Each structure stands twice: as structure tokens, then as C-alpha cells.
Amino acid sequence: MADPANSSPTPGGYIFKPHERPMMPGSPANPDHPASRKFAYFLIGAYLGIVGGFQNGLLLANLTALQGHLDLTPVDAGWVTATYSMTNACMSILLFKARQQFGIQRFVRAVMLALLLANFLQLFDAGYRMELVARGVSGVAASGLSTLAIFYLMQGVPAKARLGGLLIGIGLTQVALPFARAISPLLLADGDVTNLFVLQFALSLVAVGLVNILHLPPGETIRSFEKLDLVTFPLLAAGVGLLCAFLIQGRIIWWSTPWLGGALAAALLLIGVAFLIEHNRANPMLHTRWMGSRDLLKFALAGAFVRVLLSEQSFGSTGLLSALGMVNDQLVTYYTLLTLATLFGAILAVARLDPNDLRRPTLISLAVIAVAAFADTHSGLLTRPANLYLTQAALAFAAVYFMGPMLMEGFVRALAKGPSYVISFLALFNLSQTLGGLAGVAALSAFHTLRTKAHLMMLGQSISTSNPGVAKAINDLAASMSGTMTDPALRSATAGAMVVQEAAREAAILAFNDVFFVIGTGASLAFLIMAARWLYDRTRGFNPLAKELEALQKMMTRNQ
């Protein structure tokens, strides 16, 4: 039993040694567990990380099937994905304060209730509106599950490696998307989309059982919420939600649609008012002066820019394979390799983590993105998934390898200022990653559309019946259809349409090559700029985080 003289009780009456106490209110304590319990914590954390990632992963992997099942238009499908992003983007702020105010166990119950509710609603296949509600609740549940996964993983690793548990939790969430795409063909083997809903509900039931079998240790609570939070958070959440809707729907209905401009203006106004209120508060929820400092702005912009570059995979390669007629059934091996590469990136990020050199992994990731993107610029009509195995596995590795050191840098900067700054970091990081990813896909989609039109115009100049090669191709196609079509004029018209369709597909592929080239160029420029700064600091023996690491070390020493 702990020595009362060197221990502090939690609100529940539990007594922990100083080194076992939580680092901040709202987090579980860190008691000394036996090896078997540590292993159980680790396994539960890994499971919760995958389930949390599945909340969005299974939707994105099967959006086309869901769209057909619910008879949705592209705009309707866009709202389904937007609803998830709108509720997920800011939820870490609210959940962080809720943990501090109400304790970890109430937080667990709330997250599990949201998870069960989201997946239970989908079981009834009640149509589009219910799907929107379910996706919104899923965004809340996914944010909470990511945090729960991290807490369980941190309980399951040695004290010196607790930060590694955080990085593994983030990495497993990233693993879930390619893993969902890899298993989706098996789930839809009979064409029944409800199999997805049944699987998600079954996974959520197991998750509820696991967290009730093995509870997280209790933590400390403080009075966290203030009256002004009830004003600031809704303003910020509404503004970010409108911005998500703008970025997602803009690439579907195009940017000249009038209401998109109104949504963007309203988003900027709401976010601006929220930050103005926070800027002038005595005890702010978001420390805007710190968030607006040069180091934090560079951190956020770098994270967002890397996320934009990584859209090469979520938009570029996925769109290319779709344009080539590839469907999920033909991509099982491809997505299995991406899953393994993502998992390898998460493990290596933890194994090679060096607090004194957190910029090196970002440099490596940028170099990998540049090389892979330039390699993919040679894609053509005969490109197949096997041609992309190496480059896309490299990108999947880079996508998670850079995130661990970035997270650590942010946490070090926040904790060195004080635990209250962590919520500001979480807001900045989540927004930079969410909005960076959405903005990347939106920008690349617009660029691809414009380049497709340009390539199609160039190809169209050579598609003329006066061109002997084109005329021969049309005649050959028409002749091949003589067994099924008796009307010569109809055969000729159908053959001409097929030639135009093939030209449109080639134009789309050439435009994807342009996208890959732009990404490769952007990654190369970012690499050169960051490498110059990194080399300059290394030659001087300067560590940008030296002061923060020293302050954090002193704080940890006081707690022991």
C-alpha cells in the first residue's frame, strides 16, 4: 500500500504514489500494474484504436455502395461525409474539458453510449436522414474512442514509453482506413450493405464489454467549464462545420455555387468571433496568443501542408485506379499492403523517436512523398494496382511516420507552458489535420478538373473522322459490333462515342499525372526549405525545443 505521506488521494478516495498520479486533470492515474494487466490494457487500446478508425474508414471505403443502397445523389453523399467531419473536427476540445470536469469514468460511459447509438441507428436502415444523424454521432464517438485508445495503450506500456502509447494510438487510427478498404469486399460479397452496419454494431458491443471488464484507473477532476464556454464552443464548432461543408461540397457542386460563398463567409465570421472572445478572456479555453505565436503557426502550417501533400493517396491514387475501372474487389492486395506499410510507419515512428531531433522524421516523410509522387507521374491506361504497390506503400508509411514526432513536438510545447495549454494544442493540431486534409482534396480535385478539361481539348483536336487513324479505329469498333447491332448508322455512332469516352478517360489519367507532379514539386520545395533550416540548427548544435524539454523535465521531476 502506498505511503500516505508521499501519496495523494483522488476524488474517489484512491491513494496513489506521486509518480502514479495523472499528469493533468481529466487523465487516468498511472498505477503500477502487473504484467498480465498491462498486456490486457495494451490489447484493449489497440482494439479501440481500430474501432475508432473504422467509424470513418468503413464509410469512406464503401461510400459508393452506400450511395447506391440509399439512392443518394453525389451531393447527398457529400453531406454524409461532411456530417462526420463537422462533428469530429472540434469534439476533442469539448471532450477534454468534459473529462476534467466530470472524470474519466463518466467520459468512458458517454463515449460508449455515443458509439452504441451511432451504430445501433444504422441497423434499422431508416434512410438518408437517419444516416446523417448516425454519421454525426459517429464523429463524436470516433473522437472519444481515439482518446480512450491512447489512455489504454499508455496503461499498457512501461512508464518511460508512455508517449509511445500515444503515438501508437494515433497510428492505429490511421491503419483503420486501408484496413477497412481491404476487408470491404468480403463484407459486401453478397451485395448487402447492411453487413457493414452489423459489423460496426458488433464491434461496438465488444468495445463496451472490454472497457467494462477492465476499467481505466481513476483520475483527478477540476472545475473546467465556464459560462463563456457555452458561447465560444458553439461559435467555433458551427464555423468549423460550415468550413468542412464548404470544402467537401465545393468539389462536388463546384466553387461558383452562390451558397458556398455564404457558407465560407459565415464560417470565417463565426470562427473569428470565437477567437476574439477567447483572446480577451481572463481564463480562456483557447490560448490564442500562444496559438498565434510564430513557432505554433509554423507548426500548424507545416502539419496542414504535409496533410495536403498526402492527399496524393486519398485523392490521387484512389481516383486514378477508379478512372481505370478498378473496384474494391480488385484492390484487396493493394490495400493490404497499404495497411502493413501504415502499421510499419507507426511502429518505426515510436522506435526511432528522438526528442532532441523531431524534425528529421518530417524531412524523411517529405522526401518519400516527393519521390513517390514523381514516380507516379508515369501512369497511363495500362497502369494496374501492382504498378503502384511500392510508391503507395511508401506514401502510407510517410503519412503516419511524420505524425508521431509532430504530435510530440506539440505536446512538449503545450505541457511546458502548463496543462491548460494542451486543449489549445489539441484544437490547433486537429483543425490543421482535418482542414488540411479536406482542403488538400478540394484543391487537388479542382486542379484535376481543370487539367482534365485542358487535356480533353488537346485530345479532341486529334479526334476527327478526317484523321485516318481515328476513322480506322471507329470502323474497326463498328465492325466488331456487327453481330449485336444491325443498323450501320447506330454502330458507327456507338463506336464514335466509345472513342470519345476513351479519350475522356485518357484525359483524366493525364490530369492525375499533373496532380502527382504538383505534389512532388510541393514536397520537394518543402523538403529543401526544412532541410536548410534543420542543417543550420544542427551545425550550431541548436535544438528548437531545448527550453521546452528542460521545463518539462523539471515538471516531471517535481511529480516524482
Side-chain angles (χ1 to χ4, degrees), residues 28 37 73 108 125 168 236 360 381 393 403 412 439 457 523 545:
R37 190 185 302 160
T73 65
V108 172
D125 197 15
I168 293 173
L236 181 64
R360 187 196 300 263
L381 289 170
M403 191 174 291
V412 167
M457 289 178 63
L545 290 177

Side-chain angles (χ1 to χ4, degrees), residues 19-250:
H19 75 277
E20 296 177 332
R21 294 186 64 194
M23 183 171 288
M24 68 186 74
S27 300
N30 300 293
D32 298 323
H33 300 296
S36 58
R37 190 185 302 160
K38 277 183 175 291
F39 185 64
Y41 272 121
F42 188 89
L43 290 182
I44 293 174
Y47 178 82
L48 293 176
I50 294 294
V51 173
F54 268 179
Q55 295 305 300
N56 195 38
L58 285 173
L59 168 71
L60 294 180
N62 300 282
L63 187 59
T64 302
L66 182 66
Q67 185 176 341
H69 177 72
L70 297 177
D71 193 23
L72 305 180
T73 65
V75 173
D76 293 336
W79 282 117
V80 172
T81 57
T83 302
Y84 176 90
S85 298
M86 291 162 72
T87 56
N88 182 260
C90 288
M91 195 48 57
S92 60
I93 301 173
L94 186 64
L95 294 180
F96 185 90
K97 293 184 78 71
R99 291 199 311 272
Q100 291 186 320
Q101 178 103 8
F102 303 112
I104 191 68
Q105 292 307 323
R106 290 182 179 178
F107 166 75
V108 172
R109 288 194 289 271
V111 170
M112 291 296 107
L113 178 62
L115 179 68
L116 280 176
L117 178 62
N119 294 324
F120 182 70
L121 290 174
Q122 290 183 307
L123 285 177
F124 294 97
D125 197 15
Y128 174 57
R129 288 182 177 83
M130 188 59 72
E131 182 65 23
L132 289 178
V133 173
R135 296 317 305 166
V137 180
S138 288
V140 178
S143 181
L145 278 173
S146 298
T147 303
L148 271 183
I150 290 169
F151 284 159
Y152 270 89
L153 288 165
M154 292 176 75
Q155 296 292 325
V157 297
K160 293 182 179 180
R162 285 202 178 106
L163 190 60
L166 182 148
L167 303 184
I168 293 173
I170 297 296
L172 286 174
T173 304
Q174 302 296 312
V175 168
L177 178 56
F179 186 37
R181 291 186 182 275
I183 66 173
S184 289
L186 178 63
L187 295 173
L188 300 180
D190 58 356
D192 189 358
V193 177
T194 56
N195 291 337
L196 299 173
F197 306 146
V198 172
L199 173 66
Q200 284 191 304
F201 186 65
L203 292 174
S204 63
L205 285 176
V206 174
V208 171
L210 290 175
V211 299
N212 279 284
I213 290 173
L214 185 58
H215 292 272
L216 285 171
E220 298 173 336
T221 59
I222 60 172
R223 182 180 176 83
S224 177
F225 285 105
E226 296 184 1
K227 292 180 179 180
L228 268 180
D229 293 341
L230 301 177
V231 177
T232 302
F233 181 78
L235 288 172
L236 181 64
V240 172
L242 286 172
L243 195 54
C244 291
F246 168 79
L247 293 171
I248 291 174
Q249 291 292 5

